[in-house]
Amino acid sequence: MASRSPHAGEGSRRSGMSSTGRTIVPSDRTRRAMAKRLAARTSTMTTATLAEMTARHSWFRDLSADDRSWISIVARSGIDGFVRWFADDEAEPYSPTDVFDVAPRSMTRKISLHQTVDLVRTTIDVVEEQIQALPRGDRQVLAQAIVHYSREVAFAAAEVYARAAEQRGTWDERLESLVVDAIVRADTDADQLVSRASTLGWRPGSRLCVLVGPFHRPHTLSALRHAGERLGLSVLAAVQSDKVVAVLSGDAVTDDAAALAAAGTLADQLSEGPVVVGPVVSDLVDAPASARAALSGASAALAWPEGPRVLAAVDLLPERALSGDRDAIHWLVEQVYRPLAEATGDLLDTTVSFLDHGCSVEGTGRAMFIHPNTVRYRLKRVQDVSGYSPSAPREAYVLHLAVTLGRLAGVATGSGTSSGSGSSSAGSSHHQG
């Protein structure tokens, strides 16, 4: 950059500032003399400011010694800055924003904007009081000057916090995306996952679920977070390919039913398409299991377009299993087929016969040579044991698929035979019927 005289373009240089000491006292000689007398009292002003801060503000007293030390440096910077601003004898005008540059950026996290305003107000009050100790001719001029300067500092504080909020927002979004990505990928470094989430304000030990929905609209993530806040939910959200993956936690996420209800309220913030909710888990380190189920369900949901828009991942077990989801296959075998296979009372045979005879109680009774009321009793027990009713079409589909998968997996039946060697007894009784 080419050098130029410090006085070149001085009018345009100073036009960017709403006021400086020069605009209040045009005479360089008079202004510098007053600035010199003012500078002689800066140490006294700083000491008085810290004493006043301690007396006025409990939050200041509660800070650590290091944090109070940084605030004293900021206060001293502000007072020294007033002297420089009033003297206005530098090539470039003093910027009140420099007041806050002496402290680390992390202070904007520890000291709120409201507390910073307390600091500025208290400092200005002390300076105004100390001005009264200067010669009478200085007092009115400096009192006017401090009013102008305090306005500049207030704007500077707002600018510093706005810039910090923007930077923090960008960083938080990046960190939030890393947390969600680690959950989706089932990152094994649990300590790092919890540490990153804690930085975002996540509470350890919170029950949570993972929601997956379509992403086609801008501002979806911010709308989802704001809607979650209104419901008292903590929301970590990020975009994965063409889907939104959100981790939900809060008092409204107590169990799977409550989580599904909460997701139904948030669904309006997402684009058109199925929204799938994974099972509720007890902590963030277990979130990958919920994410796997929700992502699998979101991919398989197109096979059940007749279903509701907001679904639990468990509602899509058949579609997930047919698409190759091992967790869904294992769940159907272990939680549906195995209890029926190991139960007494021919529940598995009755289930298969009932499904094969068009869900007819009378047809099943004739095929198994039992009374229809016995069939009804067994069907009620099937629902109690498996959680699914053979009489409901969708649940009958789940049972039918579970039976098929259980037989393919070779799970032993209650009679002690396996479907590998007697495809079996469960199958043979069905065919005999």
Side-chain angles (χ1 to χ4, degrees):
M1 181 180 292
S3 61
R4 63 178 181 174
S5 167
H7 299 290
E10 186 168 343
S12 62
R13 172 175 69 83
R14 296 184 183 282
S15 63
M17 300 244 345
S18 58
S19 65
T20 64
R22 188 179 298 274
T23 63
I24 298 171
V25 181
S27 170
D28 288 348
R29 181 177 179 181
T30 302
R31 188 178 65 258
R32 288 169 182 167
M34 294 174 69
K36 185 176 181 180
R37 291 190 289 271
L38 182 65
R41 299 196 62 83
T42 54
S43 295
T44 302
M45 290 179 182
T46 302
T47 302
T49 296
L50 295 178
E52 194 66 17
M53 287 290 294
T54 302
R56 286 190 189 184
H57 307 298
S58 59
W59 64 263
F60 180 76
R61 297 191 296 270
D62 294 337
L63 293 175
S64 66
D66 286 344
D67 291 341
R68 288 197 302 272
S69 175
W70 280 118
I71 288 184
S72 70
I73 292 173
V74 172
R76 179 60 186 261
S77 174
I79 293 169
D80 290 344
F82 177 48
V83 176
R84 293 173 59 191
W85 177 89
F86 182 76
D88 195 18
D89 57 1
E90 300 175 0
E92 291 294 330
Y94 173 78
S95 172
T97 308
D98 296 345
V99 168
F100 304 99
D101 288 347
V102 296
R105 291 181 180 179
S106 60
M107 287 299 290
T108 58
R109 288 183 178 271
K110 298 180 180 179
I111 308 300
S112 68
L113 177 58
H114 177 76
Q115 292 168 337
T116 301
V117 171
D118 285 343
L119 169 62
V120 172
R121 183 183 292 116
T122 303
T123 303
I124 298 305
D125 289 346
V126 169
V127 171
E128 287 178 337
E129 182 181 338
Q130 292 291 321
I131 284 173
Q132 300 306 310
L134 294 171
R136 187 179 298 275
D138 294 355
R139 297 174 191 172
Q140 184 176 356
V141 174
L142 291 175
Q144 180 185 1
I146 193 63
V147 171
H148 287 275
Y149 177 73
S150 63
R151 181 182 62 187
E152 299 291 342
V153 171
F155 283 131
E159 179 183 343
V160 167
Y161 274 83
R163 188 164 60 244
E166 290 177 357
Q167 293 172 346
R168 185 161 57 245
T170 302
W171 170 249
D172 284 354
E173 286 184 4
R174 188 177 304 139
L175 188 60
E176 189 171 353
S177 181
L178 288 173
V179 170
V180 173
D181 184 64
I183 290 172
V184 169
R185 290 186 297 103
D187 196 326
T188 55
D189 192 343
D191 291 339
Q192 185 180 68
L193 174 64
V194 172
S195 175
R196 285 176 172 173
S198 298
T199 303
L200 295 169
W202 191 269
R203 293 180 301 171
S206 302
R207 294 178 68 80
L208 60 93
C209 67
V210 175
L211 171 152
V212 176
F215 175 76
H216 300 297
R217 297 191 309 226
H219 311 303
T220 295
L221 298 185
S222 58
L224 195 63
R225 295 186 192 104
H226 292 154
E229 287 176 5
R230 290 193 293 271
L231 292 173
L233 295 173
S234 297
V235 179
L236 298 179
V239 176
Q240 295 275 327
S241 184
D242 60 343
K243 295 181 175 62
V244 173
V245 179
V247 184
L248 311 180
S249 176
D251 294 338
V253 184
T254 53
D255 53 31
D256 292 345
L260 193 64
T265 307
L266 297 177
D268 290 341
Q269 310 305 323
L270 300 170
S271 304
E272 289 298 321
V275 177
V276 181
V277 186
V280 173
V281 294
S282 59
D283 204 349
L284 193 65
V285 295
D286 300 318
S290 183
R292 275 197 313 275
L295 286 165
S296 172
S299 297
L302 59 87
W304 190 29
E306 301 81 10
R309 186 191 176 206
V310 182
L311 309 105
V314 72
D315 294 334
L316 289 158
L317 280 169
E319 291 76 15
R320 289 167 54 197
L322 291 172
S323 66
D325 183 343
R326 293 183 178 276
D327 290 337
I329 293 171
H330 183 267
W331 202 97
L332 287 170
V333 171
E334 296 299 324
Q335 303 298 322
V336 181
Y337 179 78
R338 185 183 292 278
L340 291 176
E342 294 179 349
T344 58
D346 294 328
L347 296 189
L348 182 59
D349 289 350
T350 303
T351 300
V352 172
S353 182
F354 181 75
L355 295 174
D356 282 356
H357 287 86
C359 298
S360 167
V361 172
E362 289 75 13
T364 303
R366 286 194 298 270
M368 298 188 71
F369 305 105
I370 57 177
H371 194 279
N373 285 343
T374 304
V375 176
R376 293 187 182 94
Y377 169 76
R378 290 182 182 179
L379 294 180
K380 178 63 171 64
R381 284 201 60 210
V382 168
Q383 182 174 3
D384 293 339
V385 169
S386 69
Y388 292 91
S389 170
S391 302
R394 175 70 184 178
E395 296 182 25
Y397 176 44
V398 175
L399 287 165
H400 211 156
L401 186 59
V403 170
T404 302
L405 294 171
R407 288 171 170 173
L408 288 174
V411 175
T413 63
S415 61
T417 61
S418 71
S419 57
S421 60
S423 11
S424 92
S425 61
S428 62
S429 66
H430 154 61
H431 289 299
Q432 288 170 357

